Amino acid sequence: MERMTEEQVKTIANMLRKRSLWMIHYCTGCGAMELPPTMTSRYDMERFGLAPYVTSRQADILLITGYLNVKTLRRVITVYEQMLDPKYVIGFGSCALNGGVYWDSYAVIKQLDRYIPADLYIAGCMPRPEAIISAFRHLMELIDSGKADGYKRYKRNLAYYKENQRKVLG
Amino acid sequence: MNKSYELFIGPNHPGIPGNFSLKIELEGDTVVSAKGDPGYLHRAFEKAMEGRYYIQNLALIPRICVPEPDINEAAYAMAVEDLMGVEIPERAKYIRTIVLELARVANYTMWLGGLAGTLGLYTLAQWSIGDRDYALDLFSDICGARVYHMYIWPGGVRRDLTPGWEDSVLSYIRYLKNRLIDYDNIFLKNVMFKYRTKGIAVVTKEQAIEWGATGPILKAAGVAQDVRKDDPYAAYEYLDFEIPTLTDGDSWSRAMIRRWELENSLNMIEQAIKKMPKKGPVCAKMPNPLKGYVPEGETYAKVESARGEHGFYMVSDGTGKPYRVAVRGASHTHMFTIAEKVLVGQRLADVSHTLVSLDICPPEIDR
Amino acid sequence: MVKMILIAIGAPLVAFAIGLSFMMIKRKIVARIQRRYGPTIIQPIYDVLKLLVKEDNISHGVIFSLGPIIAIAGSILAVFFIPMAGFSMLTGSGDLIALLYIMAIGSLGMALGAGDSANPNASIGISRALTLMFGYDLPLVIIVISVALQYHTTNLSDIVAAQANGNWTLWTLPLSAIVGFVVTYGALGEHPFDIVTAPHEVATGPMVEYGGKHLGFLMISHAFHIYIEIALFVDLFLGGASNILIFYLKMFAVFFIMIMFDEVLPRFKIDDAVRFYWKWPTVVALISLIIVLVK
Amino acid sequence: MNMSLELLLATPFIGGLLTYIGGKVHRWVRNIFAVLFSLLTLGEMSLFYNTTFKGDVWGSLFGSKLILQTNPITWLFLLIVTSISLLVIVFSVDDMKHEEDHIVLDSYYMQLLFVEGAMIGIVLAGDLITFFMFWEIMSWTSYFLIVHGGKKSMDAGYKYIIMSIIGAYAMFVAIAMIYSKAHSLVYPDVALVLSQSSPTFTIWIIILLGVGFFVKAAVMPLHTWLPDAHSEAPSPVSPLLSGVLIKMGAYGLFIIFYGLMSANLAKNIMPSIFSTPVLLYIVQWLAALSIVLATFLAIMQEDAKRLLAYSSISQIGYVVLGLATGTSLGVAGGLFHALNHAIFKSLLFLAVGAVIYRTGTRNLSDLGGLVKKMPFTFVALVVGIIALAGVPPLNGFVSKWMIYEALLQKKEVFLLIMAFVGSTGAFLYVYRLVHSIFLGQLSQKHENVKDVPILMQIPMWVLVIATVIYGIFPGLAMDVIVKGMKMFGFAPIAYNLYGFPQGSTMGALKVINIASVLMISFVVAWIFFLLFSKSRKVSQYDNYAAGQVVTPELKYNYSFGFYMSFGRVIKPIFKISIERIYNYWVDAAKIFGDYYMRRVYTGNLETYNSYIVIVVTIAAAAVLLGGKIW
């Protein structure tokens, strides 16, 4: 009985979480260019309860909007670790996936989820606002079913992530 | 006694227009020193371009400046054409002009939203960025992409306009001209806007010239200089337009200059559509791009971006890949020679507004 | 006795509900002004609840955690002192002058908490908040004095009673009412006085380190805050109300007009805001005060 | 003849001497003597508390009787004097330990007790000679106390004593004028003479005496000595100066306004504005200006003790403003605020003293984040600032509220607005104080700071409790005040233990309700808060810095120029600085003084001899002419 209620609490919490996703205001790469249209009057992300918030403490989603170079990665990790659980990461565009057009650049991190756990990727360069919104909808489904557990994975595999981060950042 | 303290504007801060950091030292709420901290967006473009064929580089260059990618394509195409000695067809020139001006319009509407945002007027930001989106739809019509078009390429443009595109452009211009009246009423004619921007971040004529400012900063300081007029490219020499100037050089003047330029661009697009040859090739005959042969030599091609002079310096050693490429973005100058000096003595409340007013575009700084 | 206890529990809940409903409506109306569809109407409830059920919360110390709690406690206290549609718990225990100070308790508690977050952004935010408070307090005090002299009492219930039968202060002292309206902007931190939390300047100021349930509490206290400021305006100038529906409608009218102006103004700089408040609103309020004195 | 008042008066003086002698034996003998004798004084005070003694002759001078007397108002001030002195002496034991020189410390404790005795004497005085005598003893001993504070304090003390002397001369002239007319300086006689003499004479008396009291109470524009003296004095002395000593000025004003000349008398001899005699009205305005300008100055300070010193000027403005209203509510408010200010300002100075004791600096921008290291001092300071800001439910609120109501009843709206502005301004500087010292980032050099020893904490806790008790039960103090004011001919005001019922004032006040509802809602909110998942404590370096990492080396603390933007707003007001005008005068006086000093103090023994001869001749002539100098 007790487990049941705990389960129910989790369901309710997830239901609330998916309806109010605050993303951190951090334009890590050029994918951020398609965020203003998504936020503003034409696509109006706020319909889904998504809103940009300023500091790492307030936000739920970290958007890695495009490529990450080494200098940014350090800040992204700081920001990610400052965020409060539950927190979700969305990798934006092909650069976050595999380096994209910068596959041969010395400055760019090739694969995002070696360093921080990504819950979702959006393919494309750049992803269109429709794609972004569809990704958010998908994330909501994942949260609802409890599958968006990147923050748990990060805690579980902290050694792995730290090792990878250390290799790059030194 | 610890008089001053440090504050970071960026990278994770709404007051910075992109992934860039500004480290400011403040005393009370007055800036004592400001130091830009670039490198968060460094992707080694110039190095990467040396390793790729000329045609491959086309995919890379629009990403140098995200808000207005087309200027990169134009400058790159012009540099390659210059090296190869190719003259592009008349119709391509006009199409390039229309696309470039449309990109400028898209940039300025977004910039206007950004400026209003830093001053706390989010309504205009919502309106103008929403209106910009219709311009992106027009791009999407001709090349299938909203942001990175890769439409202008060496020899002309990639493909001809879709039928009826000109009409959609004209109707968009009519729409935007009506909207501009609304923008003026809510923002540019607003008393509070004048109150906040008059006398802020002044760059005088002498300073602007000495510090190497270009674009709206220079025009706002009273120097009528514009690459489109002084060294015309594409079809600008056939178009009739004025270069607006103001004398104060403050944030208000820059906003006004951009507002006029926005209207200027709309008029230029109308003119270009009217004067454009209705038929004809849109691309000169070019050798096979994969075996692309560019003769030895070096060149500097420049265009007028929304922020100022944007140029490509390119050296070719006769192989399929460029030997050396250097990009001159206007933002770099504006950030490190102008903003760092202008910010000193400003109030904290004006910092992010000053950055937007000088139109700092971080990806252009880092490359 | 039972009735008293019910009121004691009910009054803050009603106040919170009203404040929350205004937060909901505001987001929708603002969205429509900005040519957007806007969030679902109950979005603020989702936001608050989501923040409360965050699994992880951080704290910089006891004072940091106490900040939001004091903010809410002070707000609840103030709710009891403002006559709410016919019943008023504590208006006999403290008058209008006391209320001005009671309303400050929440803000000061919040300031203490934010100060403990050890972040200069928060410090600047508080410095701005207190300066702004000082700015709008001068005209506020003058209009409060005018109203008190007009009705020869500082007891809020009596002031409300004196305005019965449509004899509102709005009609008798229109200048004071206008100033009161302008002051309410500053007190609520609406545009152009959202200097305290200006994200582009100080990254949400005092709230910079608050997240999770702390931020949820701050949002709850903001709902109370909206209620308190507007209810005070309604009680002082629009004659209060005898039933909750009319009270709500009056408050809604005031709030609606506020949002209409709110979304078309860029924000002030802090010293300009103080200068503004000490110039026109003060002068107008003084004129109104002199009219009361001469009458 | 009742010996009890003489005993009360003599205890601190005898104690002072014994303490000095005890210091020669061992420092602990000295410390214990000092604490013991101040405790004894407090004990005697509480033994006789609230009994009325009338006209206790203890000597005579120039044929004038020297009288000690009491009334309930006296006991109010005696309560302040004796209790704060005791707490200061207890606080001194640890705080002054760092002083190497034992002789200096011996005289320090002696002077502390002497100041206490002198203030008791002032309050107990039943005639102007006694009053003046102890007034001078107080000025000089407090001067010696101030100069204990180090190099800068010499200048501050110099400024203080010069202004005190000017005030004392003014008082002396006034007393001489009264004596020449009345041949007696006992209060009732003086009051009788004043009621019969011409208005011009009376007004001159008030002005001359008023200057003396204004200097001591530091009402603008005679305040310039206070910020220096109070901030440069040793930390335990500042509470005595700010909390108690300037109240003597307020007490003096109360005596001349309502003791020597009743309010009716004042109304008869001069025109009235807002039913206030014009002179009192001017005093009200001066007090209101003190409130506002000192608040503005306090906001701009960068030094913790200086900030508190300016705040003292502002708060004493409320006391004087209340006293000068002339209505029972206002005067009661003023007197109550004198008590409250003594409590919370002493508390604040002690708390800041504790911080200085541990960190060695009082520069606000060097401090920060101490809440984790000195939690008890933090609580004490927070209670103090809440009371100072006049926020319910602590004591500063009640007395300010009474003053506001009094002004509102009299429709003196502009004064009321100024009083309000000063009070809201107080939010700014008190927050600055607590933020810069205790909140924000802890600097690395204060990593190892501990809370102060128990002997320094006890005085603070006593004051914290007093602040809360007088805040929630204002009736405790009002008992004494109302009883005393009845003796001075004021109408009684309706009050009860918890505040003021409807009727006597324009609104009602019941502090216990405010306090209890606040407490309940706080507990409810807290319980609600605890329902949700627990919070994890993070270090101050794990902080939002726009994605950057905060390191200990980084100056990431906003403290200097906390209200710089506000400073820009009020800048035009301070273009004409009172301070600067004074400095012109001081410079001019120095040049003038240097020139003539050299002619007087030639360094030649014969010249000095001739001076002595001249003085002795004049004195002899005076005696021969019948013992009258005038």
Side-chain angles (χ1 to χ4, degrees):
Chain A
M1 187 65 198
E2 205 162 45
R3 275 194 69 175
M4 187 66 185
T5 46
E6 203 167 275
E7 215 48 18
Q8 277 169 344
V9 165
K10 264 207 180 125
T11 321
I12 293 168
N14 282 336
M15 190 205 80
L16 292 166
R17 277 168 199 150
K18 76 165 189 186
R19 279 186 168 78
S20 155
L21 286 171
W22 292 357
M23 55 176 235
I24 190 164
H25 199 299
Y26 188 9
C27 328
T28 52
C30 54
M33 200 56 216
E34 282 291 35
L35 278 178
T38 322
M39 281 185 243
T40 53
S41 57
R42 194 172 183 200
Y43 294 95
D44 189 22
M45 199 165 76
E46 209 184 0
R47 285 177 295 156
F48 307 105
L50 288 151
Y53 269 76
V54 176
T55 71
S56 32
R57 307 287 189 201
Q58 300 162 352
D60 306 307
I61 321 177
L62 175 62
L63 292 178
I64 305 299
T65 54
Y67 56 84
L68 270 184
N69 74 10
V70 180
K71 193 170 178 178
T72 307
L73 180 67
R74 201 187 293 270
R75 271 76 184 176
V76 163
I77 291 166
T78 312
V79 167
Y80 182 73
E81 285 177 352
Q82 278 184 352
M83 284 165 66
L84 306 180
D85 295 347
K87 50 195 172 187
Y88 315 104
V89 178
I90 296 185
F92 228 73
S94 36
C95 314
L97 212 52
N98 57 10
V101 287
Y102 311 110
W103 60 274
D104 58 347
S105 168
Y106 59 80
V108 174
I109 299 301
K110 305 305 180 294
Q111 201 184 338
L112 174 66
D113 57 11
R114 284 168 61 85
Y115 310 99
I116 50 174
D119 291 290
L120 196 72
Y121 281 113
I122 312 173
C125 180
M126 346 193 106
R128 302 169 70 96
E130 294 90 335
I132 297 171
I133 286 173
S134 134
F136 282 134
R137 301 288 302 215
H138 190 62
L139 180 69
M140 287 172 194
E141 277 166 27
L142 287 180
I143 293 170
D144 208 16
S145 58
K147 281 178 194 154
D149 58 348
Y151 63 101
K152 286 182 195 152
R153 266 186 287 139
Y154 188 70
K155 270 185 195 156
R156 224 168 26 232
N157 307 327
L158 195 63
Y160 165 76
Y161 286 114
K162 283 284 161 204
E163 176 64 24
N164 284 342
Q165 288 168 7
R166 202 181 50 76
K167 265 183 205 159
V168 179
L169 301 174
Chain B
M1 194 191 276
N2 298 318
K3 276 195 168 181
S4 59
Y5 63 100
E6 279 162 34
L7 208 60
F8 297 101
I9 307 285
N12 158 25
H13 195 283
I16 198 87
N19 196 354
F20 183 75
S21 181
L22 183 71
K23 193 172 160 190
I24 51 178
E25 199 180 340
L26 292 143
E27 199 178 302
D29 62 348
T30 312
V31 179
V32 181
S33 75
K35 189 93 194 76
D37 176 19
Y40 298 97
L41 291 170
H42 179 63
R43 289 144 288 176
F45 272 111
E46 285 141 341
K47 186 73 196 159
M49 280 165 82
E50 289 167 18
R52 302 182 189 199
Y53 292 106
Y54 283 98
I55 190 76
Q56 286 177 316
N57 281 335
L58 265 181
L60 213 52
I61 43 160
R63 288 160 173 86
I64 291 176
C65 177
V66 196
E68 196 193 12
D70 305 75
I71 47 157
N72 292 296
E73 301 170 9
Y76 175 76
M78 280 158 64
V80 175
E81 284 153 10
D82 191 34
L83 285 173
M84 296 174 73
V86 179
E87 181 67 24
I88 64 168
E90 192 83 338
R91 187 171 158 83
K93 281 185 184 172
Y94 278 102
I95 294 177
R96 274 189 185 182
T97 310
I98 295 169
V99 169
L100 284 174
E101 290 305 314
L102 207 53
R104 196 185 308 278
V105 168
N107 190 312
Y108 280 149
T109 40
M110 179 131 173
W111 176 86
L112 212 54
L115 187 73
T118 58
L119 293 178
L121 184 67
Y122 303 113
T123 308
L124 181 67
Q126 296 276 356
W127 288 1
S128 68
I129 295 175
D131 288 339
R132 164 186 177 269
D133 226 57
Y134 301 115
L136 299 189
D137 280 0
L138 295 173
F139 287 127
S140 168
D141 280 353
I142 51 170
C143 64
R146 278 161 56 87
V147 178
Y148 296 144
H149 314 131
M150 291 161 265
Y151 182 62
I152 300 170
W153 72 354
V157 296
R158 199 150 53 131
R159 61 166 75 100
D160 206 344
L161 301 175
T162 45
W165 191 73
E166 291 96 326
D167 295 334
S168 356
V169 173
L170 287 175
S171 76
Y172 174 66
I173 288 170
R174 271 197 304 280
Y175 168 77
L176 198 59
K177 276 185 174 170
N178 278 330
R179 294 290 295 153
L180 279 182
I181 299 166
D182 289 349
Y183 297 175
D184 287 351
N185 285 338
I186 198 176
F187 187 54
L188 295 170
K189 284 183 189 163
N190 200 324
V191 190
M192 293 285 289
F193 169 68
K194 269 188 201 160
Y195 205 61
R196 279 298 303 269
T197 52
K198 279 268 187 194
I200 299 296
V202 179
V203 182
T204 62
K205 191 171 177 177
E206 292 75 29
Q207 285 172 338
I209 293 169
E210 190 191 328
W211 292 340
T214 51
I217 300 176
L218 200 55
K219 291 172 197 162
V223 185
Q225 201 187 49
D226 194 311
V227 181
R228 290 174 293 174
K229 203 84 175 170
D230 303 338
D231 192 4
Y233 54 95
Y236 286 111
E237 51 193 319
Y238 314 125
L239 300 179
D240 173 36
F241 63 98
E242 293 287 311
I243 300 168
T245 53
L246 282 171
T247 47
D248 287 353
D250 56 2
S251 176
W252 183 82
S253 316
R254 287 194 286 273
M256 283 300 147
I257 291 284
R258 288 191 172 97
R259 166 71 182 73
W260 285 346
E261 289 250 13
L262 181 54
E263 203 153 356
N264 244 351
S265 296
L266 293 176
N267 291 333
M268 278 154 83
I269 297 171
E270 277 178 339
Q271 278 184 43
I273 287 177
K274 219 175 277 168
K275 286 187 181 172
M276 181 169 66
K278 295 290 168 273
K279 272 198 188 69
V282 292
C283 193
K285 191 104 179 92
M286 297 292 279
N288 184 344
L290 285 176
K291 293 175 192 160
Y293 170 69
V294 177
E296 233 175 283
E298 57 182 290
T299 182
Y300 177 68
K302 59 182 176 180
V303 294
E304 178 79 13
S305 76
R307 289 161 299 283
E309 183 184 319
H310 190 88
F312 267 64
Y313 173 73
M314 203 183 286
V315 182
S316 165
D317 58 354
T319 57
K321 300 168 182 172
Y323 176 72
R324 176 85 181 91
V325 182
V327 185
R328 188 250 188 239
S331 297
H332 190 278
T333 323
H334 294 174
M335 178 64 223
F336 290 101
T337 58
I338 299 178
E340 282 185 0
K341 291 190 184 74
V342 162
L343 280 173
V344 174
Q346 298 276 328
R347 310 274 310 283
L348 175 61
D350 290 326
V351 169
S352 79
H353 158 228
T354 304
L355 289 179
V356 174
S357 170
L358 295 171
D359 207 349
I360 311 293
C361 171
E364 203 177 83
I365 296 173
D366 281 336
R367 298 193 291 278
Chain C
M1 189 62 203
V2 177
K3 200 184 159 203
M4 281 294 283
I5 292 170
L6 276 180
I7 289 175
I9 298 168
L13 290 180
V14 171
F16 173 61
I18 293 176
L20 195 66
S21 75
F22 283 165
M23 281 167 86
M24 297 175 192
I25 294 163
K26 185 189 172 187
R27 279 180 79 165
K28 201 74 184 172
I29 293 177
V30 164
R32 287 302 159 91
I33 293 174
Q34 293 175 345
R35 294 161 55 113
R36 293 189 281 128
Y37 183 77
T40 51
I41 192 88
I42 50 171
Q43 185 61 42
I45 297 181
Y46 288 141
D47 286 348
V48 171
L49 290 177
K50 180 227 30 191
L51 285 169
L52 292 180
V53 298
K54 272 268 188 189
E55 284 169 17
D56 186 22
N57 294 300
I58 60 112
S59 165
H60 278 278
V62 183
I63 308 300
F64 179 85
S65 301
L66 282 184
I69 300 174
I70 300 175
I72 288 193
S75 303
I76 293 177
L77 178 64
V79 165
F80 286 122
F81 280 89
I82 297 173
M84 177 202 281
F87 59 86
S88 48
M89 280 283 289
L90 289 176
T91 39
S93 304
D95 58 358
L96 200 47
I97 295 174
L99 180 65
L100 289 184
Y101 285 95
I102 289 167
M103 276 159 61
I105 294 178
S107 325
L108 292 177
M110 166 69 207
L112 275 183
D116 200 23
S117 60
N119 195 310
N121 286 306
S123 308
I124 301 166
I126 305 157
S127 153
R128 288 175 171 198
L130 292 172
T131 311
L132 183 66
M133 198 176 182
F134 198 15
Y136 68 70
D137 223 55
L138 178 62
L140 176 64
V141 161
I142 300 174
I143 59 167
V144 161
I145 294 171
S146 336
V147 173
L149 286 179
Q150 167 95 346
Y151 299 111
H152 297 290
T153 178
T154 50
N155 190 321
L156 254 172
S157 296
D158 295 351
I159 290 174
V160 172
Q163 297 177 56
N165 308 324
N167 189 20
W168 295 354
T169 326
L170 177 66
W171 314 130
T172 49
L173 290 176
L175 292 178
S176 288
I178 293 168
V179 175
F181 188 68
V182 176
V183 166
T184 312
Y185 268 90
L188 281 181
E190 299 285 351
H191 291 279
F193 299 106
D194 64 333
I195 316 161
V196 178
T197 55
H200 286 86
E201 296 160 21
V202 290
T204 64
M207 298 187 294
V208 69
E209 271 294 293
Y210 281 112
K213 62 175 177 177
H214 298 82
L215 191 59
F217 265 61
L218 287 182
M219 285 181 81
I220 292 173
S221 89
H222 185 64
F224 275 118
H225 199 59
I226 293 177
Y227 167 80
I228 291 166
E229 298 291 345
I230 295 178
L232 182 64
F233 183 84
V234 168
D235 277 339
L236 283 182
F237 295 105
L238 300 182
S242 54
N243 81 46
I244 196 81
L245 187 69
I246 296 172
F247 194 61
Y248 184 80
L249 286 177
K250 280 181 180 175
M251 285 181 70
F252 181 76
V254 175
F255 191 70
F256 188 74
I257 299 169
M258 279 189 74
I259 310 171
M260 287 294 137
F261 288 110
D262 173 63
E263 283 308 309
V264 295
L265 292 169
R267 74 172 74 88
F268 270 114
K269 269 191 251 180
I270 181 63
D271 42 349
D272 291 335
V274 177
R275 275 192 204 109
F276 167 78
Y277 269 128
W278 286 6
K279 214 178 273 170
W280 296 114
T282 305
V283 169
V284 174
L286 279 176
I287 292 170
S288 181
L289 177 61
I290 288 165
I291 291 171
V292 174
L293 276 180
V294 170
K295 258 199 307 205
Chain D
M1 184 165 162
N2 195 323
M3 281 304 288
S4 48
L5 288 186
E6 280 86 344
L7 191 65
L8 177 58
L9 183 56
T11 314
F13 283 107
I14 297 167
L17 288 173
L18 284 179
T19 306
Y20 187 76
I21 297 163
K24 306 292 169 213
V25 182
H26 192 263
R27 63 193 174 89
W28 276 110
V29 177
R30 176 195 67 210
N31 293 348
I32 289 167
F33 268 23
V35 175
L36 208 63
F37 276 98
S38 53
L39 196 64
L40 196 63
T41 321
L42 179 65
E44 283 165 17
M45 200 281 302
S46 46
L47 204 65
F48 310 136
Y49 189 70
N50 226 348
T51 44
T52 308
F53 299 92
K54 270 193 179 150
D56 220 357
V57 184
W58 67 282
S60 77
L61 192 67
F62 293 135
S64 177
K65 279 182 286 182
L66 302 182
I67 284 179
L68 298 181
Q69 51 92 46
T70 65
N71 60 52
I73 302 296
T74 317
W75 290 114
L76 185 74
F77 281 92
L78 281 181
L79 177 69
I80 301 173
V81 171
T82 48
S83 50
I84 304 285
S85 301
L86 171 65
L87 297 177
V88 161
I89 287 173
V90 173
F91 191 85
S92 300
V93 172
D94 265 335
D95 192 79
M96 297 301 280
K97 240 196 290 191
H98 61 90
E99 178 68 67
E100 300 290 321
D101 196 345
H102 276 286
I103 300 167
V104 172
L105 263 190
D106 295 345
S107 55
Y108 167 81
Y109 284 104
M110 183 176 73
Q111 283 147 9
L112 268 183
L113 282 164
F114 276 12
V115 169
E116 184 185 358
M119 287 191 290
I120 293 174
I122 290 170
V123 177
L124 286 179
D127 65 310
L128 285 173
I129 288 278
T130 317
F131 190 94
F132 186 73
M133 237 167 65
F134 285 110
W135 187 266
E136 280 302 277
I137 295 175
M138 176 183 80
S139 294
W140 283 99
T141 41
S142 55
Y143 164 71
F144 288 124
L145 278 177
I146 290 170
V147 297
H148 271 296
K151 261 183 198 161
K152 268 190 181 168
S153 67
M154 287 298 251
D155 288 343
Y158 189 68
K159 216 168 171 180
Y160 166 65
I161 200 65
I162 292 286
M163 293 196 67
S164 288
I165 287 171
I166 293 169
Y169 277 142
M171 271 170 75
F172 190 72
V173 171
I175 291 170
M177 280 164 74
I178 292 170
Y179 188 74
S180 68
K181 223 169 183 139
H183 301 287
S184 165
L185 290 169
V186 186
Y187 289 162
D189 297 345
V190 175
L192 191 72
V193 168
L194 284 181
S195 65
Q196 285 160 357
S197 51
S198 71
T200 337
F201 179 78
T202 318
I203 290 171
W204 270 112
I205 294 293
I206 296 174
I207 291 173
L208 285 172
L209 283 178
V211 166
F213 299 142
F214 267 34
V215 167
K216 203 54 76 172
V219 176
M220 283 196 180
L222 298 172
H223 68 282
T224 48
W225 62 272
L226 187 141
D228 290 329
H230 286 203
S231 58
E232 297 302 336
S235 346
V237 177
S238 303
L240 198 66
L241 294 176
S242 244
V244 189
L245 203 129
I246 56 174
K247 298 298 167 344
M248 291 302 123
Y251 177 74
L253 286 175
F254 180 75
I255 288 295
I256 48 168
F257 288 159
Y258 306 114
L260 301 186
M261 42 181 291
S262 66
N264 306 338
L265 170 62
K267 265 175 204 159
N268 293 338
I269 57 168
M270 50 184 118
S272 295
I273 304 172
F274 285 109
S275 72
T276 312
V278 70
L279 210 59
L280 285 187
Y281 195 64
I282 292 169
V283 171
Q284 279 187 324
W285 270 96
L286 287 177
L289 278 176
S290 297
I291 292 173
V292 173
L293 295 180
T295 300
F296 284 171
L297 282 166
I299 291 169
M300 305 314 296
Q301 295 311 310
E302 296 292 337
D303 176 324
K305 283 178 79 175
R306 234 180 138 75
L307 186 152
L308 285 177
Y310 273 113
S311 138
S312 284
I313 301 176
S314 165
Q315 297 298 317
I316 203 77
Y318 284 97
V319 176
V320 175
L321 181 60
L323 288 180
T325 49
T327 61
S328 355
L329 191 63
V331 176
L335 288 172
F336 191 21
H337 199 66
L339 172 66
N340 290 341
H341 179 245
I343 295 170
F344 63 67
K345 190 47 68 65
S346 308
L347 171 59
L348 286 173
F349 265 118
L350 290 183
V352 169
V355 172
I356 296 170
Y357 176 72
R358 280 303 189 205
T359 61
T361 178
R362 53 174 209 248
N363 207 335
L364 286 173
S365 49
D366 287 342
L367 296 161
L370 286 176
V371 60
K372 288 163 187 91
K373 304 288 170 190
M374 305 175 75
F376 294 111
T377 316
F378 170 76
V379 172
L381 190 96
V382 164
V383 169
I385 65 161
I386 293 172
L388 171 57
V391 173
L394 296 183
N395 62 5
F397 165 69
V398 186
S399 42
K400 277 188 185 173
W401 183 85
M402 289 164 72
I403 295 168
Y404 297 150
E405 290 284 346
L407 290 171
L408 198 58
Q409 273 178 349
K410 293 187 78 180
K411 295 197 177 181
E412 294 184 358
V413 284
F414 293 101
L415 294 169
L416 177 55
I417 292 166
M418 287 168 91
F420 252 117
V421 166
S423 175
T424 318
F427 291 163
L428 269 71
Y429 64 74
V430 297
Y431 184 75
R432 168 83 207 274
L433 190 69
V434 71
H435 180 275
S436 293
I437 296 178
F438 288 104
L439 307 177
Q441 294 252 344
L442 181 70
S443 93
Q444 259 187 313
K445 59 185 170 200
H446 298 144
E447 281 292 335
N448 300 319
V449 166
K450 288 191 306 241
D451 220 323
V452 285
I454 189 78
L455 264 187
M456 289 170 80
Q457 277 185 27
I458 290 170
M460 290 195 265
W461 286 113
V462 172
L463 289 167
V464 165
I465 293 164
T467 310
V468 176
I469 285 179
Y470 279 118
I472 297 176
F473 306 111
L476 290 179
M478 293 307 294
D479 282 339
V480 186
I481 291 168
V482 169
K483 197 173 158 197
M485 280 171 51
K486 221 183 273 170
M487 292 183 64
F488 287 91
F490 285 100
I493 45 175
Y495 71 94
N496 53 35
L497 184 60
Y498 312 115
F500 301 86
Q502 191 96 31
S504 62
T505 52
M506 287 177 81
L509 185 67
K510 211 171 186 186
V511 195
I512 186 110
N513 279 1
I514 301 179
S516 51
V517 173
L518 180 63
M519 218 51 226
I520 292 167
S521 35
F522 178 77
V523 170
V524 168
W526 200 358
I527 290 169
F528 187 53
F529 186 77
L530 290 179
L531 284 181
F532 302 102
S533 61
K534 265 176 81 174
S535 37
R536 161 172 65 91
K537 193 149 174 344
V538 293
S539 93
Q540 61 172 349
Y541 301 118
D542 181 7
N543 214 322
Y544 170 80
Q548 309 277 24
V549 181
V550 184
T551 53
E553 289 77 37
L554 194 71
K555 287 179 284 178
Y556 203 59
N557 188 22
Y558 176 43
S559 187
F560 181 81
F562 203 74
Y563 295 115
M564 206 178 245
S565 47
F566 181 69
R568 270 188 283 272
V569 179
I570 55 169
K571 213 179 197 172
I573 302 171
F574 289 106
K575 282 240 170 84
I576 318 157
S577 151
I578 304 167
E579 197 94 19
R580 215 181 300 153
I581 296 170
Y582 272 102
N583 285 344
Y584 284 137
W585 278 102
V586 168
D587 286 348
K590 261 187 194 156
I591 294 163
F592 182 83
D594 269 6
Y595 184 74
Y596 282 98
M597 282 300 195
R598 251 179 247 135
R599 265 147 196 73
V600 179
Y601 296 103
T602 51
N604 187 341
L605 197 64
E606 277 178 33
T607 332
Y608 292 144
N609 277 339
S610 62
Y611 293 154
I612 295 170
V613 172
I614 291 166
V615 169
V616 169
T617 317
I618 292 172
V623 171
L624 287 176
L625 286 172
K628 278 189 219 162
I629 299 178
W630 37 79

